[in-house]
């Protein structure tokens, strides 16, 4: 399997009821991801979100 570095390594993940994490958006910089995370937490305060860093983007 060929894996290449992602151009958008920062992502926002949301925790599902099954306790799995789902990537909902990707960003090129940490500051962009943090800014959108603040917005999401204000708009949807009862959901759990996290900023994560992924070295490689996996494709299936």
């Amino acid at each position: 399997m060929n894996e290449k570095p992602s151009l958008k390594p920062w992502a926002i993940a949301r925790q599902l009821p099954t306790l799995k994490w789902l990537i909902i958006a990707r960003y090129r910089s940490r500051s962009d991801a943090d800014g959108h995370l603040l917005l999401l937490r204000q708009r949807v305060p009862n959901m759990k979100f996290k900023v994560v860093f992924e070295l490689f983007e996996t494709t299936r």
Side-chain angles (χ1 to χ4, degrees), residues 38-51:
L38 290 174
L39 180 69
L40 282 171
R41 286 184 174 164
Q42 288 175 352
R43 291 191 173 190
V44 192
N46 59 342
M47 265 188 210
K48 192 170 180 181
F49 297 101
K50 263 189 188 177
V51 172

Side-chain angles (χ1 to χ4, degrees), residues 5-40:
S6 174
L7 296 176
K8 296 182 178 182
W10 294 99
I12 293 180
R14 177 184 141 209
Q15 191 171 24
L16 299 174
T18 60
L19 301 181
K20 290 184 179 184
W21 288 91
L22 174 69
I23 301 294
I24 59 169
R26 294 187 185 280
Y27 304 93
R28 293 187 83 159
S29 71
R30 171 77 191 245
S31 62
D32 285 347
D34 285 337
H36 285 98
L37 177 66
L38 290 174
L39 180 69
L40 282 171

